[in-house]
């Protein structure tokens, strides 16, 4: 576990990497992994962290909700998400805190970082791409993310962006895609 914070919010990230005893220690490219609306501790995210580490990355699971656990109960989950989506600058700041925690990990190469997000985490990844000014963030990937254009300070997106979106996605109608496609 990696303890970090966003202001007064205490957060718990998970860092996973593989050490190769036949090679000298080196900095690894870091991948920030942002989970679904359930949160960090779910099988999908654990599997992604392990798979990325097996491919030679430092995989860092960020805690967006401040619980350090999965929020399956809607009475916990809905207020936790609302706190981050009512003002998307809060979500962007929370995601940036995860990136900062990963960047400061001793095994992370801060010049080679990326972020991937799933569903709610895909939305957070896109918000980070729009607001992050760290040139080490080279790629952002959203899988089934909430694709919209929130009121965020816009600037030049520094890295490459890939949004993987199915045309039958029940959360984002085809009518909403042109607004997203008009920019990142």
């Amino acid at each position: 576990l990696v303890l970090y914070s966003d202001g007064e919010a205490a957060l718990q990230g998970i860092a996973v990497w593989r050490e190769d005893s036949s090679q000298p220690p080196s900095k690894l490219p870091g991948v920030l992994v942002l989970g679904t609306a359930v949160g960090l501790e779910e099988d999908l995210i654990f599997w992604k962290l392990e798979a990325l580490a097996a491919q030679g990355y430092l995989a860092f699971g960020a805690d967006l909700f401040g619980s350090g656990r999965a929020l399956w109960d809607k009475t916990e989950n809905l207020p936790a998400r609302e706190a981050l989506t009512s003002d998307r600058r809060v979500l962007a700041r929370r995601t940036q805190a995860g990136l900062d925690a990963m960047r400061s990990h001793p095994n992370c190469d801060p010049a080679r970082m990326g972020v991937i997000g799933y569903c709610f985490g895909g939305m957070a990844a896109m918000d980070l791409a729009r607001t992050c000014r760290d040139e080490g963030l080279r790629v952002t990937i959203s899988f089934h993310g909430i694709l919209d254009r929130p009121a965020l300070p816009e600037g030049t997106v520094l890295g490459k962006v890939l949004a993987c979106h199915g045309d039958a996605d029940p959360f984002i109608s085809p009518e909403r895609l042109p607004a997203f496609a008009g920019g990142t």
Side-chain angles (χ1 to χ4, degrees), residues 17-41:
W17 69 96
R18 298 267 167 87
E19 293 186 9
D20 183 352
S21 59
S22 67
Q23 300 289 327
S26 64
K27 300 276 187 174
L28 303 172
V31 178
L32 185 68
V33 180
L34 305 173
T36 69
V38 172
L40 179 58
E41 288 197 2

Side-chain angles (χ1 to χ4, degrees), residues 4-182:
Y4 64 105
S5 66
D6 171 26
E8 293 186 16
L11 306 168
Q12 299 177 26
I14 300 172
V16 181
W17 69 96
R18 298 267 167 87
E19 293 186 9
D20 183 352
S21 59
S22 67
Q23 300 289 327
S26 64
K27 300 276 187 174
L28 303 172
V31 178
L32 185 68
V33 180
L34 305 173
T36 69
V38 172
L40 179 58
E41 288 197 2
E42 66 172 310
D43 289 343
L44 168 71
I45 301 307
F46 290 145
W47 179 74
K48 294 298 180 184
L49 292 170
E50 287 292 331
L52 287 163
Q55 294 176 38
Y57 296 96
L58 167 69
F60 189 92
D63 176 9
L64 294 178
F65 301 121
S67 65
R69 59 185 176 79
L71 298 178
W72 293 103
D73 184 345
K74 286 185 179 181
T75 61
E76 284 184 287
N77 182 290
L78 292 174
R81 282 188 290 149
E82 177 64 25
L84 298 174
T85 58
S86 62
D87 180 350
R88 293 280 282 280
R89 293 173 298 183
V90 175
L91 179 59
R93 189 185 69 229
R94 180 69 51 90
T95 307
Q96 181 69 50
L99 184 71
D100 293 344
M102 181 181 75
R103 182 192 313 102
S104 67
H105 192 280
N107 291 22
C108 183
D109 179 350
R112 297 184 299 158
M113 298 185 299
V115 58
I116 60 174
Y118 301 89
C119 198
F120 184 87
M123 176 178 65
M126 288 299 186
D127 287 359
L128 183 65
R130 290 181 181 101
T131 60
C132 183
R133 299 296 161 246
D134 186 331
E135 292 186 9
L137 182 61
R138 299 222 179 145
V139 65
T140 299
I141 304 172
S142 170
F143 294 98
H144 170 65
I146 308 300
L147 304 179
D148 60 3
R149 299 288 307 230
L152 287 171
E154 298 252 351
T156 302
V157 174
L158 300 177
K160 298 189 182 296
V161 175
L162 173 64
C164 299
H165 175 78
D167 65 351
D169 186 321
F171 295 111
I172 305 298
S173 67
E175 296 78 30
R176 289 176 56 192
L177 288 177
F180 171 77

